[in-house]
Amino acid sequence: MTRRVSIFLVALAVLTIFEWINLGFNLADGHETSFYVVHGVLIAVNIILGLALGAVGVRGWMKGRA
């Protein structure tokens, strides 16, 4: 993996994590419980995917450095 791809993956991970955490804080009150459960699951899954992307990007960066 090239460093350019590694940087892209890390940047995408940071953007994804920031975006979904921001969405979590901006959910308005007044919805049904199911709305919050579904969005909570979406937020959790996407943060986990962002962390995985970041881990792959950092590993690619370190492997490209050696």
Side-chain angles (χ1 to χ4, degrees):
M1 175 182 314
T2 65
R3 288 197 170 201
R4 179 177 279 174
V5 173
S6 298
I7 291 170
F8 174 75
L9 288 177
V10 171
L12 184 63
V14 169
L15 177 68
T16 301
I17 292 169
F18 172 76
E19 179 181 348
W20 282 97
I21 289 175
N22 194 26
L23 174 77
F25 283 119
N26 288 331
L27 288 177
D29 292 333
H31 294 285
E32 296 182 16
T33 304
S34 60
F35 176 84
Y36 295 112
V37 170
V38 168
H39 282 82
V41 169
L42 286 172
I43 290 167
V45 167
N46 280 291
I47 287 175
I48 290 169
L49 288 174
L51 291 172
L53 277 176
V56 170
V58 169
R59 281 188 186 176
W61 177 266
M62 294 299 186
K63 190 176 273 191
R65 184 178 266 189

